[in-house]
Amino acid sequence: FFLMIRRPPRSTQSRSSAASDVYKRQVHGGILQRKCREIEDVYSDQARELQRTFEAQKNSQERDLAEAKRKYQFDQQQLEEQFRQCRDYASELEKRIMILSEEIEQLSKINFEGQNENKVLRNQIIAYESSHKSVSDNLKEVEARVSVIRNENDRLNSLVQQKNKEIEELQ
């Protein structure tokens, strides 16, 4: 806006007159208003620059926070998937252990039965020897059966040891 500056009347030449004082106040007031506007402009420019800087920092921090949140969620999903896989693997191992335990139990029964059959055969050998039958023929037959049973017994013992090792490895 335009400030109307009033000049003193021409008839008053003295610098100390009332009209001169009004003129001086108007001139000084205009200068002060201009200076105030200049200072106001400088500070408002600085305030706008600070506001832009603040907004840029805020936006950058929000982006960083969003990226960190996405990374955290991704890491959490990966950990949950790994946990599910571990749980599934542990379940599978438990099933394998149960199967191996059942197999060992069956092999132990077979081994026990083989040992009992071995005892029965030994008793038969004793009975054959005491009955004066053809000991040599019967003995060969019994020895062959004993050999087969021993081989079977050794094989079963080997299987039991192998299954025990597998269980130890799984645990």
Side-chain angles (χ1 to χ4, degrees), residues 11-87:
S11 61
T12 309
Q13 296 296 326
S14 168
R15 290 211 176 276
S16 64
S17 71
S20 177
D21 290 342
V22 169
Y23 174 74
K24 287 179 189 172
R25 279 196 303 272
Q26 287 177 346
V27 170
H28 289 300
I31 293 171
L32 284 174
Q33 283 179 345
R34 255 183 294 148
K35 286 288 185 192
C36 284
R37 269 190 245 115
E38 288 173 7
I39 291 171
E40 205 175 78
D41 290 344
V42 168
Y43 281 116
S44 66
D45 289 345
Q46 289 177 352
R48 281 191 294 274
E49 183 61 32
L50 285 173
Q51 181 68 26
R52 281 193 295 270
T53 302
F54 172 77
E55 289 295 326
Q57 288 176 347
K58 179 183 165 193
N59 291 339
S60 175
Q61 289 174 350
E62 287 174 350
R63 282 191 307 272
D64 292 347
L65 182 62
E67 179 63 28
K69 186 176 180 181
R70 279 192 296 274
K71 185 179 181 328
Y72 170 77
Q73 289 172 342
F74 178 75
D75 291 347
Q76 185 178 11
Q77 289 171 349
Q78 283 185 326
L79 288 174
E80 287 172 356
E81 179 59 29
Q82 289 173 355
F83 176 75
R84 278 192 293 274
Q85 290 173 352
C86 287
R87 189 181 57 218

Side-chain angles (χ1 to χ4, degrees), residues 4-5 7 10 13 22 31 37-38 54 66 76 86 94 101 111 114 130-131 135 143 167:
M4 297 285 295
I5 300 175
R7 302 215 174 251
R10 293 179 193 255
Q13 296 296 326
V22 169
I31 293 171
R37 269 190 245 115
E38 288 173 7
F54 172 77
Q76 185 178 11
C86 287
E94 287 176 3
S101 295
N111 187 26
S130 65
S131 68
V135 174
E143 285 176 350
I167 286 176

